[in-house]
């Protein structure tokens, strides 16, 4: 049976209300329940880990008689596993729903399979409706799910000869105002902004995302990594979000904890030591190199040791885009993934 315009309209509504849910360790999902005549009976969305999923949230607003023969419109394939909540696929079966339309397949090894379960129970299941919009909604969650950790962007600014600072340590400002504005815009897109204690002690950064003197509506949570204490009057303590401090050099543990907190996108803005540590650990999914047309010389390199002892070990990148920013140039690059041996 073809998807009707009423059902497509309901999917657009489901995608809209899905955004009411929080970004976090679970995806944002919306659901709309339609009567056999195409009348909207109920809506629901997922409100965070441990709460009812969108389908169950919508079903909970209806009597069992109302759900018999209904159609469920969902932005993600109803799950097929029992965690802190039960399987949504079974909840729809038990509710007597006879048709389910969803946008995206569930990528989880344990949670997928809901569509097959519902079809086996005699439900008419249609997938892929407005999948592009649904993918855009949960793109960050999908990336974090695939990686098993937050997505990491490592950023630095450098002179044309690869220096991050002059010989006396001064670095403000290597790049111009257009480049700095671009950095703040990208900060606002992240869930967390990460620096080392060395940067906090040397520069006392606020770690906010700003448009001129105005704070962006969305602010990343500040994260400070390192064993040296942060002064109580440091600017980071005045951030809109309470900072997270990690007295650790184990980036895998830090990333695991951030992921458990629902962080999906990490923006690393520490100095050369921290940037190099993330790259050496294999935690640089995107590199942003802001290149200024100045020469500084000296030994204040933008990166330090990243574990490359010979040219054959070079960490090769593929530049996705070159972006002119006033007099500066931004290189947006990602690691080159080597094909499996023998492929």
């Amino acid at each position: 049976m073809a998807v009707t315009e009423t059902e497509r309209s309901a999917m657009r509504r489901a995608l809209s209300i899905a955004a009411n849910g929080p970004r976090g360790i679970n995806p944002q999902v919306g659901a709309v329940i339609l009567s056999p005549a195409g009348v909207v009976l109920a809506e629901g969305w997922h409100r965070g880990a441990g709460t009812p999923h969108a389908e169950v949230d919508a079903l909970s607003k209806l009597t069992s008689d109302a759900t018999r023969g209904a159609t469920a419109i969902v932005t993600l394939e109803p799950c097929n596993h029992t965690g802190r909540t039960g399987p949504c696929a079974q909840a729809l079966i038990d509710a007597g729903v006879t048709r389910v339309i969803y946008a995206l397949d569930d990528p989880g090894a344990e949670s997928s399979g809901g569509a097959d379960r519902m079809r086996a129970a005699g439900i008419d299941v249609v997938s892929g409706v407005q999948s592009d919009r649904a993918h855009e909604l949960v793109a960050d969650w999908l990336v974090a799910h695939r990686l098993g950790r937050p997505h990491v962007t490592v950023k630095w600014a450098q002179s044309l000869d690869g220096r991050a600072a002059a010989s006396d340590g001064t670095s403000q400002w290597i790049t111009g105002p257009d480049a700095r504005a671009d950095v703040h815009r990208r900060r606002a897109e992240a869930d967390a902004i990460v620096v080392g204690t060395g940067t906090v002690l040397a520069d006392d950064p606020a770690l906010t995302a700003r448009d001129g003197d105005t704070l962006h509506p969305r602010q990343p949570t500040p994260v400070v990594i390192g064993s040296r204490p942060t002064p109580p009057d440091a600017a980071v303590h005045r951030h809109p979000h309470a900072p997270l401090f990690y007295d650790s050099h184990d980036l895998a543990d830090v990333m695991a904890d951030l992921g458990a907190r629902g962080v999906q996108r990490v923006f690393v803005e520490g100095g050369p030591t921290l940037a190099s540590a993330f790259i050496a650990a294999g935690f640089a999914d995107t590199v942003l190199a802001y290149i200024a047309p100045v020469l500084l010389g000296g030994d204040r390199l933008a990166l330090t040791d990243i574990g490359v002892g010979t040219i054959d070990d070079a960490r090769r990148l593929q530049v996705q885009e070159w972006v002119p920013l006033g007099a500066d140039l931004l290189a947006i690059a990602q690691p080159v993934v080597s094909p499996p041996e023998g492929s």
Side-chain angles (χ1 to χ4, degrees):
M1 180 178 174
V3 177
T4 68
E5 181 53 39
T6 297
E7 292 168 337
R8 293 185 183 279
S9 176
M11 180 63 80
R12 289 191 289 272
R13 176 59 181 169
L15 289 164
S16 175
I17 62 176
N20 292 334
R23 286 164 48 100
I25 58 176
N26 295 114
Q28 294 170 300
V29 181
V32 174
I33 308 297
L34 298 177
S35 74
V39 176
V40 175
L41 298 176
E43 300 176 344
W45 63 86
H46 185 45
R47 290 169 168 79
T51 66
H53 290 186
E55 306 94 310
V56 175
D57 182 42
L59 291 172
S60 69
K61 301 169 185 176
L62 299 171
T63 66
S64 59
D65 289 340
T67 60
R68 299 290 170 187
T71 294
I73 312 292
V74 193
T75 59
L76 186 69
E77 178 186 6
C79 69
N80 192 38
H81 82 302
T82 300
R84 284 194 271 184
T85 59
C88 294
Q90 189 60 50
L92 292 167
I93 294 169
D94 294 342
V97 169
T98 56
R99 181 167 163 85
V100 173
I101 299 171
Y102 70 88
L104 281 182
D105 290 332
D106 191 319
E110 295 182 353
S111 54
S112 62
D116 290 340
R117 184 172 186 167
M118 292 184 296
R119 288 190 180 103
I123 294 178
D124 177 31
V125 180
V126 181
S127 64
V129 176
Q130 298 184 40
S131 58
D132 288 348
R133 285 191 60 193
H135 188 281
E136 182 179 347
L137 175 70
V138 296
D140 289 351
W141 176 81
L142 288 170
V143 170
H145 186 278
R146 174 175 56 82
L147 294 172
R149 57 167 175 78
H151 177 279
V152 177
T153 296
V154 177
K155 166 264 175 184
W156 66 81
Q158 66 172 66
S159 63
L160 196 60
D161 55 344
R163 270 59 183 179
S167 295
D168 64 355
T170 56
S171 60
Q172 296 182 339
W173 298 101
I174 289 177
T175 55
D178 290 347
R180 298 198 294 276
D182 186 77
V183 170
H184 280 275
R185 180 180 63 80
R186 295 177 188 275
R187 283 184 181 184
E189 295 172 352
D191 298 317
I193 179 169
V194 180
V195 297
T197 52
T199 296
V200 170
L201 296 174
D203 300 336
D204 193 25
L207 301 183
T208 51
R210 301 182 301 280
D211 183 2
D213 294 329
T214 304
L215 290 179
H216 276 282
R218 189 170 186 277
Q219 292 290 324
T221 296
V223 175
V224 181
I225 299 176
S227 56
R228 286 181 287 179
T230 297
D233 60 345
V236 69
H237 289 296
R238 299 189 292 277
H239 194 283
H241 298 308
L244 299 174
F245 296 95
Y246 292 93
D247 183 1
S248 172
H249 295 287
D250 190 329
L251 294 183
D253 282 351
V254 172
M255 295 294 287
D257 187 71
L258 290 175
R261 293 173 181 269
V263 170
Q264 294 174 4
R265 288 199 168 266
V266 167
F267 195 78
V268 178
E269 242 199 293
T273 300
L274 189 65
S276 301
F278 269 89
I279 292 173
F283 290 154
D285 304 301
T286 299
V287 166
L288 302 178
Y290 292 84
I291 306 167
V294 298
L295 300 174
L296 295 176
D299 58 359
R300 302 266 185 172
L301 296 173
L303 291 179
T304 59
D305 182 15
I306 57 172
V308 175
T310 176
I311 193 65
D312 291 337
D313 297 333
R315 295 175 181 266
R316 301 194 180 276
L317 305 175
Q318 180 176 3
V319 175
Q320 306 296 317
E321 190 176 2
W322 292 99
V323 183
L325 295 167
D328 306 315
L329 189 63
L330 167 62
I332 304 175
Q334 295 177 339
V336 173
V337 178
S338 301
E341 291 187 15
S343 64

